[in-house]
C-alpha cells in the first residue's frame, strides 16, 4: 500500500520546529508492508494545502496529514478539508465531551477557542483523540482515504498506533503475510558489516529483504519477509535469521529491537544483578537513559556524577596520586570509579566514564572527544579509551551508548 504524508505548518518551513512525525509514521507502517512514497511539508496556506492533497492523491490511496488543527487562526487545515471534501461545519458532541474530559483531568479552565475544536466538517468521520483536544478526521473519496491528525508528535504517534492504522488495515486488507526479525549488531561499521554478510545477503530470495539502520554504536539489521503463505514465510525468515546470527556470532548483542540501556537492564534482571553508574563527562546521561525505562528500579541502585576530582577521590575512592600521574581522563581513574560506585551502592554491575566533551579542554595527547570507559561485573571488567567526533551533545550521547554496550557485552559474556 502506497502512503503519502503531508506535514502542515509555517513553523516547520522556517526551522522553528523539526518534523519528526513523517519519519515515525514511515518506521511504524513499514513492517506491515506499507510504503511512504511521498512526503510534503507545506505552509498554513489554503492553496498550498489543496495542491499538496491533489499531488498526494495522484500517487497514493492513503494520505496522512499532520498539523494545522490547533485553536488559533493560523490553523486552517480543518476549513481547507471541508472545502475539499464538501459538507458543512458542525459541532460534534463526542469531541466536546472529550475536550471537557481532558481539561477536567488537567485541572484547566475551558476557553471558547479550545471548545471550538469540536467543530468539524460533516463530511468526515471523527476518530477521538484521547490524549489531545484536536480531533482526528477521516475522509473518503473515490475509494481513497485522507486522515487528518494533530501535529504534536506524542498525539500523532498515539492516535496513529491505537486508532488510525488499525482502521486503515481494516479498510485496506492485505493478502500478503508480513514478518520481520531484528538483530542489534555491534563492533562493525556499516560498510564492514555489509562486506561481512554480502554472500549471505546476495543469496536471499526475492521475498526477503534486509535493511541496515545504524544507531550510535550499533547497527539495527531488520529482515523483512512478504509471502501469501504465512507458515512458509515464518519458517523462511527464522531460518535466515539463524544463519545470520551464526555468521556474526558475539557481535549480535540482541535479537530484538532494543536500546543498549534496555539490553543491559534485561540481562541484569534475568541474572538477578543490580547496577550503578559513575559518570564524569556524561554527567548522569547513562543513569538517565537507564531510568527512562519503566521498571528500571529493580536493577538500578543509583549513581554518582563525579564531575570534580574531589568527588572522584572523596566519594568513589579514586587515588589522588593516580589522577596526578595519569589525569582524570585515564583508564586507571575510570577503573577505580567503576569499582568505587559498586562499593558505595552495593551493586554487582557498574559503568564509569571520564572524558573531554568539549568544545574546549582538549590537548594534543587527549583531544576533544577522548573518553575513557570502564564496565564492571563482579570481578570481571572491560575498559577502553574511545574517540568520538561531533558536538558536545553528540560526544556525550556516543559515550553513553558505548558505555552501555560494553556493560551489555560484559553481562552477556560476549567479550
Amino acid at each position: 500500500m502506497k502512503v503519502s504524508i503531508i506535514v502542515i505548518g509555517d513553523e516547520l518551513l522556517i526551522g522553528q520546529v523539526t518534523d519528526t512525525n513523517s519519519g515515525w509514521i514511515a518506521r511504524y507502517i513499514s513492517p506491515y508492508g506499507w510504503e511512504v512514497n511521498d512526503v510534503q511539508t507545506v505552509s498554513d496556506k489554503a492553496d498550498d494545502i489543496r495542491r499538496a492533497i491533489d499531488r498526494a492523491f495522484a500517487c497514493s490511496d492513503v494520505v496522512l496529514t499532520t498539523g494545522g488543527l490547533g485553536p488559533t487562526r493560523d490553523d486552517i487545515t480543518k476549513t481547507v478539508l471541508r472545502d475539499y471534501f464538501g459538507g458543512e461545519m458542525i459541532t460534534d458532541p463526542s469531541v466536546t465531551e472529550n475536550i471537557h474530559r481532558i481539561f477536567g483531568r488537567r485541572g484547566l479552565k475551558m476557553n471558547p477557542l479550545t471548545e471550538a475544536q469540536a467543530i468539524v466538517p460533516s463530511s468526515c468521520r471523527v476518530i477521538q483523540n484521547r490524549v489531545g483536544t484536536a480531533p482526528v478526521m477521516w475522509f473518503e473519496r473515490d475509494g481513497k482515504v485522507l486522515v487528518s491528525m494533530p501535529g504534536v508528535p506524542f498525539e500523532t504517534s498515539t492516535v496513529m498506533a491505537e486508532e488510525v492504522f488499525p482502521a486503515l488495515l481494516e479498510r485496506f486488507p492485505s493478502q500478503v503475510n508480513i514478518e520481520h526479525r531484528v538483530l542489534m549488531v555491534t563492533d562493525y561499521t556499516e560498510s564492514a558489516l555489509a562486506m561481512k554478510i554480502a554472500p549471505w545477503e546476495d543469496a536471499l530470495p526475492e521475498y526477503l529483504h534486509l535493511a541496515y539502520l545504524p544507531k550510535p554504536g550499533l547497527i539495527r539489521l531488520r529482515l523483512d519477509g512478504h509471502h501469501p503463505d504465512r507458515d512458509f514465510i515464518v519458517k523462511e525468515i527464522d531460518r535466515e535469521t539463524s544463519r545470520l546470527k551464526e555468521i556474526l556470532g558475539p557481535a549480535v548483542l540482541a535479537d530484538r529491537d532494543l536500546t543498549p540501556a534496555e539490553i543491559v537492564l534485561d540481562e541484569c534482571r534475568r541474572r538477578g544483578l543490580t547496577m550503578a553508574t559513575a559518570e564524569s563527562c556524561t554527567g548522569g546521561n547513562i543513569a538517565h537513559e537507564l531510568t527512562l525505562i519503566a521498571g528500571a528500579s529493580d536493577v538500578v541502585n543509583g549513581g554518582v556524577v563525579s564531575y570534580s576530582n574531589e568527588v572522584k577521590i572523596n566519594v568513589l575512592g579514586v587515588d589522588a596520586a593516580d589522577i596526578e600521574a595519569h589525569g582524570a581522563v585515564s583508564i586507571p581513574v575510570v577503573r577505580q570509579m567503576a569499582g568505587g560506585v559498586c562499593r558505595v551502592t552495593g551493586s554487582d554491575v557498574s559503568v564509569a566514564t571520564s572524558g573531554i566533551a568539549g568544545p574546549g579542554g582538549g590537548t594534543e595527547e587527549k583531544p576533544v572527544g577522548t573518553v575513557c570507559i570502564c564496565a564492571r561485573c563482579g570481578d570481571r571488567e572491560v575498559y577502553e579509551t574511545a574517540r568520538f567526533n561531533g558536538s558536545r551533545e553528540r560526544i556525550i550521547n556516543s559515550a553513553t551508548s558505548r558505555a552501555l554496550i560494553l556493560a551489555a557485552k560484559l553481562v552477556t559474556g560476549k567479550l
Side-chain angles (χ1 to χ4, degrees), residues 188-202:
Y188 282 94
T189 63
E190 188 174 1
S191 58
L193 179 59
M195 293 175 63
K196 173 73 175 178
I197 65 175
W200 170 87
E201 188 175 4
D202 291 341

Side-chain angles (χ1 to χ4, degrees), residues 179-191:
E179 289 289 323
H180 69 276
R181 302 290 183 268
V182 172
L183 298 181
M184 306 303 292
V185 181
T186 187
D187 296 333
Y188 282 94
T189 63
E190 188 174 1
S191 58

Side-chain angles (χ1 to χ4, degrees), residues 10 14 17 32 38 55 62 71 75 88 96 165 177 185 215-216 218 223 228-229 264 288 327 396:
D10 291 337
I14 64 175
V17 174
Y32 296 89
D38 185 47
R55 169 177 158 173
V62 174
D75 291 308
E88 58 183 350
T96 301
F165 197 59
N177 293 284
V185 181
K215 294 184 174 183
L218 284 171
L223 184 62
D229 187 330
V264 172
H288 172 68
I396 290 172

Side-chain angles (χ1 to χ4, degrees), residues 80-88 121-124 139 141:
V80 173
L81 293 174
R82 187 273 315 275
D83 294 341
Y84 195 94
F85 290 95
E88 58 183 350
S122 60
S123 50
C124 81
F139 299 86
R141 174 187 286 178

Side-chain angles (χ1 to χ4, degrees), residues 4-294:
S4 288
I5 299 174
I6 303 172
V7 186
I8 302 168
D10 291 337
E11 68 277 9
L12 296 159
L13 292 172
I14 64 175
Q16 188 176 21
V17 174
T18 300
D19 166 39
T20 59
N21 286 331
S22 60
W24 185 91
I25 291 170
R27 290 190 298 272
Y28 186 82
I29 68 177
S30 177
Y32 296 89
W34 290 46
E35 179 185 349
V36 173
N37 66 336
D38 185 47
V39 177
Q40 302 175 68
T41 303
V42 300
S43 68
D44 289 300
K45 294 184 176 64
D47 288 344
D48 291 345
I49 297 172
R50 279 192 290 267
R51 280 193 294 268
I53 296 173
D54 287 338
R55 169 177 158 173
F57 272 143
C59 61
S60 303
D61 291 321
V62 174
V63 178
L64 302 175
T65 76
T66 69
L69 299 180
T72 55
R73 292 181 179 179
D74 60 331
D75 291 308
I76 63 169
T77 300
K78 195 182 300 183
T79 303
V80 173
L81 293 174
R82 187 273 315 275
D83 294 341
Y84 195 94
F85 290 95
E88 58 183 350
M89 301 302 284
I90 61 173
T91 298
D92 188 303
S94 66
V95 180
T96 301
E97 182 181 349
N98 183 63
I99 294 171
H100 280 275
R101 178 183 59 82
I102 290 175
F103 266 60
R105 188 177 62 203
R106 297 174 181 173
L108 300 174
K109 184 179 179 181
M110 183 66 64
N111 62 67
L113 280 177
T114 300
E115 197 158 26
Q117 289 193 286
I119 300 175
V120 298
S122 60
S123 50
C124 81
R125 171 165 70 92
V126 169
I127 297 176
Q128 218 56 253
N129 175 7
R130 66 175 184 83
V131 292
T133 58
V136 178
M137 297 174 293
W138 176 295
F139 299 86
E140 292 202 35
R141 174 187 286 178
D142 300 328
K144 299 189 176 186
V145 171
L146 181 147
V147 184
S148 175
M149 297 180 288
V152 179
F154 169 67
E155 295 183 29
T156 302
S157 60
T158 301
V159 298
M160 180 69 185
E162 296 183 0
E163 303 287 347
V164 173
F165 197 59
L168 288 170
L169 289 174
E170 183 177 351
R171 175 65 178 80
F172 299 100
S174 173
Q175 300 303 314
V176 177
N177 293 284
I178 301 159
E179 289 289 323
H180 69 276
R181 302 290 183 268
V182 172
L183 298 181
M184 306 303 292
V185 181
T186 187
D187 296 333
Y188 282 94
T189 63
E190 188 174 1
S191 58
L193 179 59
M195 293 175 63
K196 173 73 175 178
I197 65 175
W200 170 87
E201 188 175 4
D202 291 341
L204 283 177
E206 62 180 9
Y207 47 79
L208 294 178
H209 171 72
L210 185 70
Y212 295 74
L213 305 167
K215 294 184 174 183
L218 284 171
I219 297 174
R220 177 175 172 252
L221 288 180
R222 191 188 70 218
L223 184 62
D224 296 316
H226 306 77
H227 200 272
D229 187 330
R230 176 173 173 76
D231 290 339
F232 173 81
I233 198 61
V234 168
K235 290 178 182 177
E236 284 290 289
I237 202 168
D238 284 343
R239 177 172 59 86
E240 293 299 339
T241 301
S242 295
R243 288 180 177 176
L244 186 55
K245 289 172 72 173
E246 289 177 6
I247 294 170
L248 296 175
V252 177
L253 202 57
D255 56 7
R256 290 183 293 153
D257 190 2
L258 300 173
T259 66
E262 288 172 326
I263 296 170
V264 172
L265 288 178
D266 282 358
E267 293 298 331
C268 285
R269 188 177 293 114
R270 192 162 68 87
R271 291 168 170 78
L273 303 174
T274 57
M275 183 177 181
T277 61
E279 305 181 59
S280 185
C281 66
T282 50
N285 200 48
I286 300 173
H288 172 68
E289 289 293 318
L290 290 166
T291 56
L292 274 177
I293 301 166

Side-chain angles (χ1 to χ4, degrees), residues 345-367:
T345 63
S347 300
D348 307 299
V349 178
S350 66
V351 289
T353 59
S354 185
I356 306 163
T363 65
E364 184 174 345
E365 181 182 357
K366 298 176 182 179

